[in-house]
Amino acid sequence: VQLQASGGGLQEAGGSLRLSCAASGRTLATYTIAWFRQAPGREREFVAATRKRGASTHYADSVKGRFTISRDNAKNTVYLQMNSLKPEDTAVYYCAADSTIILSDTRDHQRYDYWGQGTLVTVSS
């Protein structure tokens, strides 16, 4: 499966952005899809995930209540709606997919086989 992430940009603190992760080659419904982010000089960190077939969603504590991950199976796309943005949300955001990842590994970026190219989100204070 090939993933294309888009939707990043510059936003003021308190604003919103919606990231998209469009897939080609395979249907995303059978994949667990996650968003990770990486700020300069920091480790890649988990943001949110939707388990395959939409079985469950998972969020990092730092984004819970502000970000929402969702699927549009008809468009073979996963979205990350980001509201109430903070300067500390500034990072390159990556979407990742895997069809066999187990529940306990959902937040582990090393367990994902397929990655999009990343989209930069910058939040100004």
Side-chain angles (χ1 to χ4, degrees):
V1 62
Q2 292 80 46
L3 304 175
Q4 179 75 34
S6 62
L10 175 63
Q11 184 61 263
E12 293 183 347
S16 298
L17 283 173
R18 189 178 76 161
L19 305 185
S20 300
C21 179
S24 59
R26 297 286 179 92
T27 174
L28 281 185
T30 60
Y31 286 78
T32 291
I33 309 298
W35 287 95
F36 292 86
R37 65 187 181 187
Q38 189 165 18
R42 300 188 65 176
E43 297 283 323
R44 189 167 297 191
E45 66 173 354
F46 171 78
V47 176
T50 171
R51 297 284 300 172
K52 59 184 178 182
R53 299 184 178 87
S56 60
T57 56
H58 306 264
Y59 296 94
D61 288 343
S62 59
V63 308
K64 200 171 294 183
R66 300 188 297 123
F67 291 10
T68 303
I69 191 169
S70 62
R71 293 176 180 262
D72 185 335
N73 289 332
K75 295 183 178 180
N76 216 27
T77 299
V78 171
Y79 301 100
L80 184 69
Q81 179 66 43
M82 305 187 297
N83 299 329
S84 302
L85 284 164
K86 303 176 180 180
E88 51 264 42
D89 294 321
T90 296
V92 177
Y93 284 71
Y94 300 90
C95 60
D98 198 279
S99 62
T100 62
I101 191 168
I102 62 175
L103 181 61
S104 59
D105 287 339
T106 298
R107 298 168 185 253
D108 185 352
H109 66 89
Q110 295 181 325
R111 301 295 186 181
Y112 287 81
D113 285 340
Y114 304 99
W115 289 83
Q117 84 286 5
T119 185
L120 176 62
V121 172
T122 303
V123 184
S124 62
S125 57

